[in-house]
Amino acid sequence: TILTALACENELGALFLDAGFTRGARMIEMSGPVPAEVAPAGGHWVSYIPERRLRFANAFYRTLESSLDFPELPASGHPARLMRAFERRGSHESGDFALLEVSGQTAGIVLLAMAGSSLEVAYMGLLPAYRGKGLSGFLMERAFERAKARGAQTLHLTVDERNLPAVALYGKYGLREKRAVCVYYRVEKKS
């Protein structure tokens, strides 16, 4: 799969369409300050180590089921490769990648990476069985806790504008829209 993001009003979009790309979701880039006081995140957390790569990748894939974030884009068929891509995405420490557990079962995942003086939420999500139970706040609290520990000034992320529950959650935690981008993608078929 090949992805590119452009300002939605960019004339280059027509060139991507002519080249066989599909215009996908409108994504909102959001950011906000890291609060001066951050309470420890609730829940039980399992931090990432390379030996847990497949466990994390499987949790990531399970959170994509019925997701409102860019559901038309197929996920990579290689879980371990996907996690290696997240490992290369900015600077991260073991605790920046974490699984949220409830009663010993994986409920969600958060993947964070430093980008300059900001902490980027590369990905966060809950497994379908744990959505609507008030656990998304734990994911946000974890992100702010890690941002504070890493000395980040701001937290930023990108979300599909159609994911209204996520947009509302991020707004509740003080993140505001900075700009919108349109994603163009092409799925390469294997020969």
Side-chain angles (χ1 to χ4, degrees), residues 92-113:
H92 67 87
E93 296 174 353
S94 173
D96 296 342
F97 289 7
L99 296 177
L100 171 64
E101 287 189 340
V102 173
S103 300
Q105 300 296 312
T106 300
I109 187 171
V110 62
L111 304 172
L112 309 165

Side-chain angles (χ1 to χ4, degrees), residues 15-112:
L15 294 175
F16 279 98
L17 294 174
D18 289 345
F21 283 73
T22 300
R23 181 174 170 177
R26 183 174 178 269
M27 305 295 283
I28 301 171
E29 293 179 358
M30 301 179 79
S31 69
V34 174
E37 296 298 320
V38 176
H44 178 261
W45 294 92
V46 175
S47 293
Y48 181 80
I49 56 175
E51 292 78 19
R52 295 183 182 136
R53 181 179 289 129
L54 194 53
R55 181 177 178 197
F56 272 69
N58 288 332
F60 172 82
Y61 274 101
R62 291 173 42 215
T63 66
L64 293 176
E65 183 181 323
S66 306
S67 172
L68 297 176
D69 278 323
F70 214 145
E72 58 274 42
L73 187 65
S76 163
H78 303 282
R81 185 183 310 162
L82 177 71
M83 283 309 299
R84 281 192 292 277
F86 278 118
E87 288 170 345
R88 291 188 296 267
R89 188 174 176 164
S91 164
H92 67 87
E93 296 174 353
S94 173
D96 296 342
F97 289 7
L99 296 177
L100 171 64
E101 287 189 340
V102 173
S103 300
Q105 300 296 312
T106 300
I109 187 171
V110 62
L111 304 172
L112 309 165

Side-chain angles (χ1 to χ4, degrees), residues 138-160:
F138 288 163
L139 300 177
M140 285 300 297
E141 291 164 6
R142 177 68 179 211
F144 279 121
E145 178 184 43
R146 294 302 305 157
K148 188 74 170 172
R150 299 290 306 273
Q153 303 296 310
T154 57
L155 185 74
H156 72 269
L157 54 81
T158 304
V159 62
D160 188 320

